[in-house]
Each structure stands twice: as C-alpha cells, then as structure tokens.
Amino acid sequence: MDLLTDVPTQGLTLPAILAHQARVRSGHAFLRTPESAIGYASAHQRVEAYAAGLQAIGIGPRDRVVLFMANSVEHVLIWLAVNRIGAVNVPLNTALSGELLARSVRMVRPQALIVDADLAPVLAQVLKLAGCADRPVFVHTPDDPHSRGRALSGAGSLAELAMSSPVTPVEVDEPAPATMLFTSGSTGVPKACVLSHRYLVRQSQIHGKYLEFRPDDVLYTPFPLFHIDAATLTVGAALVTGATAALGKTFSASRFWHEVRACDATVFNFMGATANILWKQPRSSGDRDHRVRMAWGVPMPACERGWQERFGFPLVEVYGLTDAGVPAYQPLDEPRRPGSCGRVIPEYQVRIADQAGDPVPAGTEGEILIRSDDPCLLMNGYFDMPEATGKAFRGGWFHTGDIGRLDTDDHLYFVTRGKEVIRRRGENIAATDVEEAINAHPAVRESAAVGVPSELSEEDVKVFVVTQPGAMLRPEDVVEHCSRVLPRHMVPRYVELIRELPKTPTEKIERYRLAALPLTASTWDAVRPEGGPAAASTEQGETA
C-alpha cells in the first residue's frame, strides 16, 4: 500500500509527508514514549504552530537552530517545525558541556537555540563563550510549560513560541540543508554532516523498503535524536511508512524490555555492544513477552546464533554511516551469509579500493568507497570544512575509512573501522575480532581493544575489560582464554580491568580515549606478569 500517492514529487520534505499522514492517518500514533503518545494530526498541528512561531522571531530558510534536548515528543516536533520553514535543525550531543559544547555551538553559528530545562544551566555557561549570548533561546519545561528557565536570563518558553497564525508558505529546495548531524566522535573531533531534505526523505524511504516496515509497526529506539539511527532511520522511517516511532531516553539493559513492552514495539535497533549486553542478562520467562518481530543494527553480535531461539525474532545487519547513508542491507528473503552485513542495494555503488583508490579483486580487503547516481543519498559535505569534504569525496567516491571486502554477488563484508586496525608484527588486527573473542568469556560484560606503542616497533594489543556484575576475573584469565581461541599475534599483551568503557551516547566505544591512556600499575603485562599488581582479581569491573 502506497501512502504517499498524493504527496507532491517536487519539494518533498518530512514536514510535507507529515501533513499528508495527518490527512490519511489522522488518529494513528506517530510518536510514542513509555509515558505518552501523539497522533499524526495533532503532531502536524503542533509542528505548524511552532513553525509559525519560529517565523515570527525571524527564522527563515537555511538559518540554523540548535536543539540541545533529550529524546522527547517535543524534540521531534520542533525539529520538523524548523524544517517546515526551510531552516536547518542542529541537534547537539546532550552529554557535552564546557568548551566541548561551546565548540559545537560556535562551529554551527545558530540563529536560535532550544534547550530542555534540566540542560539549561549547562547551556547558559557556554553561550557567551560560543559567541551566541545575543541569540534567542527557548526552554522546554514539560512540568511547567510557561516557565522560562531560571538559569537563562531573558529566555522564552517553548510553549510561548507556538502561534495560532498560519505559516507563511516557503518553497523548499530538496538538496538544501535540512539537518546537521555530528559524527559520533568515537575516533576524535566530531564533524558536522550537512544532510539535505532529500537525504532525510530518501534514507527514510529506503530503510522502510528494505526492512519491510508496515503501518502497524512500532519502531523503538533508545538512542539519541542527534544520531541517524534514531532520527532518520526510526522517526523518519516511521513517518514515511505511516508507522509509529517510539523513543526511549537512553539505553539501559535493566529497563530495555520494560520499555519495549510499554511502547508495544515490533521493531528496534541495536548498536555497538547493546545486543550482547541484552544477551548476557539472566534468562527470564519474559524473554518472549513482547511483539518484536525484528531488530536491525550493526555490527552483528556473536550471540546472533542463539538469539532467535531465545527471544523469538531475528537480528538483521545493515551497513551505513551518517556521511553516506545505508548502502547495504541483509536480504530478508534469503538465508544470512555468515560474516556479511548485507548486499549492496541498487540505489548505491560500492567499491573496495587499495590505497590509491583503485578497485581490488572480489574477496580482497580494502577501503570501502561509496557513491550514488542520486548525490543527495550522501551528505552535502562537512559544515565549514571544505578541505575535509574534498578529501572525503576525492575521485568521485566517498572514502569511508572502513575496511571491508565484496564477494562476486555484491555482498559486503565489513572488517573494521580504518582507525580500529592494530598493526602488530606485520599483521593487521581488527580490534573487533579481539573484542568478540573476549566477550565470549562468560565472566566478561564487554571489552575494547586498542593498539599501543611497542618497544619492538609497530604496536602491541591492549584490552580493557568490564566484568559481569559479581563475576571474578583475573587479567591472566583473559590472556589464557584468548590464547585458546585467537591466533598468537592477536593475543593481547596488556590487560586492564575497569568499571566501564568510555562511550558516545550512541554506545560506540571512544577508542581514542582508551588509546591515549598510559600504562600504569593497574595494567597487567603478559611479558612481565611479575611486575603487575599483587592482587589482580577484581569484582564488577573495578580497576585493580
């Protein structure tokens, strides 16, 4: 069933699709949280009201509006209102503060800012530092809609921004900027990806097409709206399908299934180690007490082999990134090919290339390059970074920096992020391969592997390990386990037991932070085990 037959083909935007869905699916739930829900018609009315208010304070096409907000219905509505008038939505990482937050605000030079009340004190401290002290700020205060936020002098309330007057018509150019999403920053300083209106619509449509979303689906995500998975691939995909998007606040293993049931979710996405963390929770009679029919994400966890038997639904792998969209999907009507993250879809071309950018034979590892006949399926570029943009798009292809291979049937095999390769004794080691082996240990909750300088040249492997609650694990146990399941050159030299891994809000490990940590007395060295701490045994991941 095509729900978009009477939507104009020119100037197609997510707000235009919302207006359409408000007509044909008026009372159907568009957005849901564990506590509340809003239908398509009501959502459209509120988006129009916010859009009129933004126009009234002078916001227009291509102006940038920063949203410093957690996941909420209001966050989505104000995002769509910004796009409704041709302006650019810039959601920021809500974990930022101080100079890191000031740097992001300063980089995008917003014309207005909208902030949750509990984050207002954090934003207040950086407005002057970011050169935005004179910009209008509106505070979202759910418990008291008309509160202006005590921490921000002169701020308005988000409720007062909504107006009853009609929106002045705006002609939106599909390739024009609609959203700026920062790269995760898991390997260093984030860059702002400029994404067009067409990018948001087409990525949403493609995701719904290849994962076969239906109007009766409820797409749940616990990940933040400043990331493509929650914004485009959950909210956008639900919107173009006529389905429901369900938003959790953050990922929590203890709350996850409760929220899935509370939202009546049928689909969710996993990311990073989250599927493995769920797998390692104690088995429960509630493991199948849900309506979920599929979960999608990347990378495919080792627990995939037993997942469907335990939870009653399959895990589906895709490959993508904010900068270039999602060019590969696991075919739902075919058996999964072990190791493959999906087949390249017709909307894209993918090349595996050597260091010179030249294609390599099928089955050979190299850098994953991406392009499309529709340039809007990739980002417009990195905001105010022409040199970085040119480097990324050199030779007519987007250079991902990821390492992978293609088989003769265009199935893509992701090997590792380029910056996650450890070079040891003339061999390239994928950090994820080491982590997968360690995570299979029953006492391990999760782990991270990084390369550290070696006295013999190149690098040695260092791993950081978080244990299961209550589990006892020694560093030498980790090395002994790796010696049984990994080639010799991949067995870590250094082991450090820690309480938790540093992560981005999208659950990606911040490896650059771990790699920068020095070797200390708490670092166990397999070459000099006698030089390690006397009591290496730890409980619940506490550093020895």
Side-chain angles (χ1 to χ4, degrees):
M1 179 172 58
D2 184 2
L3 295 175
L4 303 179
T5 52
D6 64 344
V7 176
T9 56
Q10 298 299 317
L12 187 60
T13 65
L14 291 182
I17 295 174
L18 176 60
H20 166 82
Q21 303 291 25
R23 293 191 296 272
V24 301
R25 299 181 63 77
S26 174
H28 188 75
F30 167 37
L31 299 169
R32 182 177 293 169
T33 71
E35 299 80 29
S36 62
I38 185 172
Y40 274 100
S42 296
H44 172 61
Q45 292 170 0
R46 286 167 63 179
V47 165
E48 292 291 292
Y50 282 138
L54 289 166
Q55 283 186 328
I57 63 168
I59 303 299
R62 296 181 181 264
D63 286 344
R64 293 171 295 281
V65 179
V66 157
L67 274 62
F68 194 48
M69 305 174 73
N71 284 8
S72 65
V73 167
E74 229 61 31
H75 185 148
V76 175
L77 299 181
I78 197 68
W79 150 32
L80 294 174
V82 169
N83 283 174
R84 170 70 173 86
I85 58 175
V88 183
N89 164 57
V90 188
L92 295 187
N93 185 338
T94 53
L96 297 179
S97 61
E99 174 53 31
L100 293 179
L101 176 58
R103 180 184 64 192
S104 294
V105 175
R106 189 164 53 239
M107 181 187 299
V108 302
R109 304 189 301 277
Q111 278 69 41
L113 303 94
I114 299 170
V115 60
D116 283 337
D118 58 344
L119 294 171
V122 179
L123 184 65
Q125 294 174 357
V126 306
L127 286 177
K128 186 174 182 180
L129 187 62
C132 294
D134 60 340
R135 299 292 191 269
V137 179
F138 295 89
V139 179
H140 172 222
T141 313
D143 296 332
D144 182 4
H146 295 284
S147 169
R148 296 178 181 273
R150 297 176 183 175
L152 279 166
S153 176
S157 75
L158 185 57
E160 292 169 352
L161 184 64
M163 298 186 66
S164 58
S165 55
V167 179
T168 301
V170 175
E171 185 174 338
V172 177
D173 186 15
E174 286 185 35
T179 287
M180 287 163 53
L181 296 182
F182 280 82
T183 56
S184 67
S186 57
T187 56
V189 177
K191 299 182 286 289
C193 300
V194 180
L195 309 176
S196 68
H197 291 276
R198 182 168 176 81
Y199 174 103
L200 299 186
V201 171
R202 291 295 294 129
Q203 291 297 340
S204 300
Q205 291 174 329
I206 287 170
H207 201 60
K209 171 184 175 181
Y210 287 101
L211 293 183
E212 299 180 4
F213 293 159
R214 309 184 298 247
D216 62 346
D217 272 325
V218 178
L219 314 181
Y220 169 78
T221 183
F223 303 116
L225 285 163
F226 52 79
H227 190 270
I228 182 177
D229 284 47
T232 310
L233 305 182
T234 299
V235 173
L239 177 53
V240 301
T241 307
T244 301
L247 303 172
K249 289 282 188 182
T250 58
F251 173 78
S252 165
S254 61
R255 294 196 314 267
F256 185 85
W257 293 110
H258 167 74
E259 291 198 349
V260 163
R261 287 186 283 269
C263 293
D264 200 27
T266 60
V267 176
F268 69 80
N269 75 286
F270 60 88
M271 196 183 307
T274 56
N276 271 324
I277 290 172
L278 292 172
W279 174 259
K280 291 201 169 190
Q281 296 297 299
R283 287 181 178 264
S284 162
S285 59
D287 283 350
R288 289 194 173 215
D289 181 19
H290 54 72
R291 281 210 312 134
V292 178
R293 63 179 183 84
M294 175 183 66
W296 61 272
V298 63
M300 183 63 77
C303 62
E304 183 255 347
R305 289 181 292 273
W307 183 280
Q308 185 159 0
E309 181 276 329
R310 176 177 173 183
F311 295 109
F313 61 91
L315 299 178
V316 177
E317 190 171 7
V318 304
Y319 169 77
L321 59 169
T322 305
D323 324 49
V326 186
Y329 285 85
Q330 177 184 324
L332 300 184
D333 58 350
E334 298 177 11
R336 169 173 157 74
R337 294 197 183 185
S340 169
C341 55
R343 178 187 290 148
V344 178
I345 60 177
E347 290 85 352
Y348 281 93
Q349 299 97 50
V350 171
R351 168 185 288 182
I352 306 299
D354 59 20
Q355 291 186 345
D358 296 324
V360 299
T364 304
E365 291 184 4
E367 184 181 7
I368 301 172
L369 310 186
I370 302 172
R371 72 180 182 188
S372 173
D373 293 334
D374 181 351
C376 287
L377 289 185
L378 287 76
M379 68 171 179
N380 291 5
Y382 298 119
F383 184 69
D384 260 9
M385 293 184 175
E387 185 175 337
T389 300
K391 182 179 179 182
F393 282 100
R394 63 190 183 276
W397 292 83
F398 178 78
H399 290 243
T400 67
D402 295 344
I403 306 301
R405 67 182 188 276
L406 280 170
D407 65 18
T408 54
D409 294 328
D410 267 352
H411 277 78
L412 179 65
Y413 296 77
F414 173 81
V415 176
T416 189
R417 301 292 181 190
K419 293 185 179 180
E420 294 171 7
V421 172
I422 303 168
R423 182 74 175 175
R424 187 188 197 190
R425 300 173 189 168
E427 299 277 359
N428 288 330
I429 301 170
T432 50
D433 286 345
V434 179
E435 293 160 5
E436 182 174 329
I438 295 174
N439 292 345
H441 192 291
V444 173
R445 177 179 173 88
E446 57 182 334
S447 63
V450 298
V452 296
S454 170
E455 58 205 26
L456 302 176
S457 81
E458 296 189 324
E459 294 178 304
D460 276 314
V461 180
K462 180 179 181 182
V463 297
F464 296 82
V465 179
V466 180
T467 64
Q468 288 280 58
M472 299 295 292
L473 185 72
R474 302 174 305 163
E476 49 263 52
D477 296 334
V478 175
V479 173
E480 289 172 7
H481 170 75
C482 290
S483 298
R484 292 193 299 270
V485 299
L486 288 174
R488 184 178 178 183
H489 71 278
M490 295 175 67
V491 175
R493 172 178 175 176
Y494 301 108
V495 180
E496 194 153 336
L497 303 178
I498 59 176
R499 289 185 182 276
E500 60 182 1
L501 300 175
K503 294 180 181 178
T504 70
T506 53
E507 295 296 314
K508 293 181 180 178
I509 299 167
E510 294 179 313
R511 299 176 193 277
Y512 73 99
R513 292 192 179 186
L514 294 173
L517 294 175
L519 302 178
T520 68
S522 64
T523 307
W524 190 82
D525 183 353
V527 175
R528 303 184 183 88
E530 71 283 352
S537 178
T538 66
E539 185 171 344
Q540 297 199 38
E542 181 176 354
T543 303

